[in-house]
Amino acid sequence: MGKQAIQLGTRLVRAVPNVLWLAPVVVAVYYAAFLLRFEGRLEANGWYVFQATLAPLLAIKLVVFRLLPGFRGWNRMVTFDDLLDLAKAATVCSLVLIVVDHLIMTRVNVPRSIVLIDWGMTIMVIGGLRCITRLVRERDMTLFGNRNHPAVFIAGVNASGEAVLRAIRRSASLDFRVAGFLAEAEQEVGARIGGVPVVGLLADACELSQKHQVREILISADGLPGQQVRALVENAQEAGINVKVLPSYEQLLHGTVDLRPRTVSIEDLLRRDPVALDQRQLHKWIDGKVVMVTGSSGSIGSELCRQLTHFAPAKIVLLDRSETGQFFLERELHQLAPHANCEVCLGDINDAARMNTVFRTHRPDIVFHAAAYKHVPLMESHPGEAVKNITLATRLLADLADQNGVESFVMISTDKAVNPTSVMGACKRVAEQYIQSLAGQSSCRFVTVRFGNVLDSAGSVVPIFREQIARGGPVTVTHPEMVRYFMTIPEASQLVIQAGAMGDGGEIFVLDMGEPVRIVDLAADMIRLSGLRVGEDVEIEFTGLRPGEKMYEELYSDEELHDATAHSKILVAKSPLNTALTDVAWTLQELANLTEGTPHDLLEQLRLVVPEYRVPTRPAQLPKLAA
């Protein structure tokens, strides 16, 4: 007991300096309330009441303000919530004063008008002082000595732009002077955000920068769509102006990122509008369930696991054969979401005995099947392995899901399955057929989600280009007219989860991939973003199409129709062709029998199973040219 009393006394002593600044303010406000009540003439009776009640009032206010968390110190980050706390504290103080005056100080009668005036002035004066403190520390005005700081523009008159302004004002490491905002719409010009004017349009950034002597433009990592970032960067580079990116508040909350501005990345140029998810539907579908992700250490699989930690599944089962990948993923998820119940399972999806054990041990309610080979040219050389790891493995997992009472099974497919010209695409198409056929006679909701290329995934074009640029080039592009759809890894993963919750069974959902991007433009953008010149510092060389590659990817086959769904970025592909499960199972068995035979026989069987599968006539080798 004695030790606790000593600790309490120590805390009270340490708290004294945090509230001492209030004492003169409280006295002055209370005295002013009396002066206002008595019209500036404080006679003997009024002076007696003031003196008699000052000490109790001071004690009440210091104790109440100390107990409220928002008033433990002179906080320069005052917000609207702090002002609400101030109003609550002033109200509590006035009520306690009335009770003390009525029950204890019976010889003194404090006029209720004085209590009311003191309440209002307390909020106004203390709130005003706190706001002035923040204003003095944050205001971007020459009066406070930041005239010599480099002038910058903030691009985007929106919440992200305002967040960038607040980050600059609050961070000692960001020594900028914000000269103005650049707007997307004409009607926004002339407004003010945090006292900073909106000086003009994004399209006029170069002219406005010269006028205001600005050499840098700042944007938030989620502030503008990719097309506007691309146009801004191109115009700014011509005028010798730097465009820098500050992290969004979501990035700051979910990871340790540097607050200092960074250069624009290719992800910024291809960014699209944020994905809006039906959180209520997803929580209802995922919370309390055992969710298994195959291929968990891959680009999509690992991001699916990260996204799932935002919900409350009973357990996330991480299934992959990569020991190293699983090791690092488990560490990352533990740091990202220590509360999440994540269990690592090592295993090959072609190992029937191991997969049967995993399903019986963990009893998953939801399965996201993301494990598969994905490199088109490599699969052309190993068609038997492609059939085993893509098609037959999907059949095995789907059958186990059906036999073990899994509620939902979501297979991740690819746009390469549409009118396939590669072994990988044809194998994915057969897997789609099996999933659709099985959905017709199973209680499990089997759905497929089809999308295009994922930006910056392992082994994709972006890291390859980045490595080639770092070596000084050349950057190799297969064909000047080749185009691809791109989507960021988080966006694709979020939409996969959303589509899985929407499916009734048997659907092929297609993600809205936006506008296709020419690969040569992507390469040129990455070279320029590295501070280099195309054709001078780094060359672009065209090498010709590789085996299995298409010039243009498609999201639907000729027989499929696409309909809208409840989500604006998710469509459903409807095919009039329905293959019986027995027929698909028979063709799969024929493929299985040929996986160890000659590639020619296997490819012929694939063409029988997928009539639209065509090996493209490879064009003549293109000469290596500089872009």
Side-chain angles (χ1 to χ4, degrees):
M1 229 7 227
K3 184 178 180 179
Q4 293 178 345
I6 293 173
Q7 291 177 342
L8 178 61
T10 302
R11 285 199 298 268
L12 290 175
V13 170
R14 291 177 178 175
V16 170
N18 291 332
V19 294
L20 279 182
W21 66 270
L22 274 174
V25 178
V26 169
V27 174
V29 167
Y30 195 48
Y31 184 68
F34 273 84
L35 290 179
L36 288 174
R37 168 63 178 81
F38 295 106
E39 299 181 351
R41 295 188 299 274
L42 198 58
E43 298 177 354
N45 183 56
W47 180 250
Y48 170 73
V49 174
F50 172 76
Q51 289 181 312
T53 57
L54 178 60
L57 174 80
L58 186 60
I60 291 169
K61 286 195 173 183
L62 292 184
V63 170
V64 171
F65 278 83
R66 175 65 186 90
L67 291 177
L68 287 179
F71 292 89
R72 295 176 184 174
W74 192 278
N75 187 355
R76 69 184 177 96
M77 299 301 180
V78 61
T79 64
F80 181 73
D81 290 332
D82 293 326
L83 297 180
L84 289 179
D85 286 340
L86 172 59
K88 294 176 186 177
T91 303
V92 170
C93 291
S94 298
L95 292 176
V96 173
L97 178 62
I98 291 173
V99 172
V100 171
D101 178 49
H102 182 72
L103 298 179
I104 300 176
M105 297 185 300
T106 55
R107 296 183 180 182
V108 181
N109 183 23
V110 180
R112 297 297 177 260
S113 57
I114 288 180
V115 176
L116 183 61
I117 294 171
D118 176 76
W119 174 83
M121 290 187 66
T122 297
I123 297 174
M124 288 171 47
V125 173
I126 296 179
L129 288 173
R130 290 167 64 96
C131 289
I132 289 173
T133 301
R134 173 173 174 175
L135 180 67
V136 170
R137 295 197 183 202
E138 295 185 358
R139 195 66 168 177
D140 191 12
M141 298 172 63
T142 57
L143 178 62
F144 298 107
N146 62 355
R147 184 69 174 177
N148 295 326
H149 293 173
V152 297
F153 282 150
I154 296 177
V157 180
N158 48 35
S160 295
E162 195 261 344
V164 172
L165 177 64
R166 281 189 277 123
I168 291 173
R169 287 177 168 173
R170 292 179 177 182
S171 174
S173 63
L174 301 177
D175 53 349
F176 299 119
R177 176 173 58 85
V178 180
F181 280 86
L182 300 176
E184 303 171 55
E186 183 70 40
Q187 60 267 26
E188 296 171 334
V189 178
R192 299 181 76 87
I193 299 179
V196 177
V198 180
V199 296
L201 298 173
L202 282 167
D204 303 323
C206 295
E207 294 82 354
L208 292 168
S209 296
Q210 292 178 353
K211 178 181 178 181
H212 292 269
Q213 297 182 334
V214 167
R215 306 310 304 167
E216 285 194 345
I217 300 175
L218 301 180
I219 61 175
S220 171
D222 58 0
L224 296 174
Q227 290 182 340
Q228 290 185 336
V229 176
R230 180 187 295 271
L232 179 62
V233 169
E234 289 177 355
N235 294 334
Q237 283 181 337
E238 293 179 1
I241 300 168
N242 294 322
V243 179
K244 296 291 184 68
V245 181
L246 279 171
S248 65
Y249 272 100
E250 184 177 354
Q251 290 173 321
L252 291 173
L253 289 173
H254 291 94
T256 55
V257 296
D258 196 342
L259 186 60
R260 291 172 297 182
R262 61 167 173 81
T263 56
V264 177
S265 68
I266 194 65
E267 290 83 359
D268 298 314
L269 299 187
L270 298 179
R271 186 193 312 117
R272 300 191 293 162
D273 293 335
V275 175
L277 300 178
D278 186 343
Q279 296 290 338
R280 183 176 180 180
Q281 181 187 33
L282 294 181
H283 277 286
K284 183 178 179 181
W285 184 49
I286 295 172
D287 288 1
K289 305 290 182 63
V290 177
V291 184
M292 184 167 75
V293 179
T294 72
S296 55
S297 66
S299 301
I300 292 295
S302 61
E303 183 61 28
L304 282 172
C305 296
R306 295 183 196 99
Q307 296 292 335
L308 288 170
T309 62
H310 298 163
F311 303 95
K315 181 167 61 176
I316 304 175
V317 182
L318 317 175
L319 177 61
D320 203 294
R321 66 184 180 187
S322 171
E323 176 201 14
T324 302
Q326 293 284 74
F327 171 77
F328 286 109
L329 178 62
E330 182 182 31
R331 289 184 59 190
E332 179 188 352
L333 293 180
H334 180 72
Q335 294 175 351
L336 180 67
H339 62 280
N341 181 14
C342 299
E343 185 155 346
V344 170
C345 287
L346 287 176
D348 191 325
I349 56 174
N350 289 294
D351 185 342
R354 174 59 177 156
M355 291 302 101
N356 186 58
T357 300
V358 169
F359 271 83
R360 291 187 178 277
T361 301
H362 297 285
R363 295 289 178 183
D365 301 295
I366 301 170
V367 174
F368 289 98
H369 176 36
Y373 287 142
K374 65 177 183 177
H375 294 288
V376 170
L378 198 57
M379 292 304 98
E380 294 299 303
S381 303
H382 302 84
E385 296 304 306
V387 169
K388 286 191 287 186
N389 201 54
I390 297 174
T391 307
L392 300 181
T394 299
R395 180 187 65 175
L396 171 62
L397 294 172
D399 289 344
L400 286 172
D402 179 46
Q403 296 162 12
N404 288 276
V406 173
E407 295 177 11
S408 301
F409 185 98
V410 183
M411 187 193 86
I412 295 177
S413 188
T414 170
D415 55 5
K416 294 175 178 59
V418 179
N419 297 322
T421 60
S422 64
V423 171
M424 195 272 278
C427 290
K428 278 289 188 181
R429 180 59 188 143
V430 179
E432 289 182 354
Q433 292 175 353
Y434 189 77
I435 290 295
Q436 280 189 298
S437 301
L438 186 59
Q441 63 178 51
S442 174
S443 60
C444 179
R445 293 189 308 117
F446 286 97
V447 300
T448 299
V449 183
R450 184 191 291 166
F451 55 89
N453 296 272
V454 180
L455 191 66
D456 215 9
S457 61
S460 65
V461 67
V462 169
I464 291 174
F465 284 173
R466 190 178 292 126
E467 179 186 355
Q468 290 174 335
I469 293 169
R471 293 201 314 261
V475 173
T476 56
V477 178
T478 53
H479 196 281
E481 298 303 321
M482 176 175 279
V483 298
R484 289 291 183 267
Y485 292 97
F486 283 100
M487 179 177 285
T488 64
I489 296 175
E491 182 182 15
S493 301
Q494 290 169 4
L495 290 176
V496 165
I497 296 174
Q498 183 69 75
M502 293 167 53
D504 295 321
E507 301 96 338
I508 295 180
F509 290 108
V510 181
L511 305 188
D512 174 13
M513 300 294 295
E515 295 298 322
V517 177
R518 286 206 317 162
I519 301 300
V520 66
D521 293 339
L522 183 69
D525 284 336
M526 292 189 65
I527 293 171
R528 284 192 288 264
L529 291 177
S530 301
L532 304 171
R533 292 165 296 184
V534 179
E536 297 182 33
D537 300 315
V538 177
E539 293 184 346
I540 296 178
E541 293 185 352
F542 299 111
T543 60
L545 290 178
R546 297 176 296 177
E549 285 189 324
K550 291 196 292 186
M551 290 283 292
Y552 307 95
E553 296 289 9
E554 305 162 277
L555 296 175
Y556 308 94
S557 68
D558 297 335
E559 296 81 15
E560 290 177 338
L561 302 175
H562 60 279
D563 289 341
T565 66
H567 196 283
S568 61
K569 290 190 176 183
I570 301 176
L571 305 172
V572 62
K574 293 186 176 180
S575 174
L577 303 176
N578 291 314
T579 308
L581 178 61
T582 53
D583 294 337
V584 180
W586 182 83
T587 56
L588 275 174
Q589 190 56 48
E590 288 295 310
L591 286 172
N593 294 336
L594 295 171
T595 54
E596 300 301 334
T598 63
H600 178 270
D601 293 339
L602 182 61
L603 294 178
E604 287 301 317
Q605 182 63 29
L606 266 179
R607 292 188 184 95
L608 290 175
V609 179
V610 186
E612 62 270 27
Y613 171 37
R614 293 289 183 272
V615 178
T617 302
R618 190 176 183 188
Q621 190 81 358
L622 288 168
K624 295 185 177 182
L625 301 173

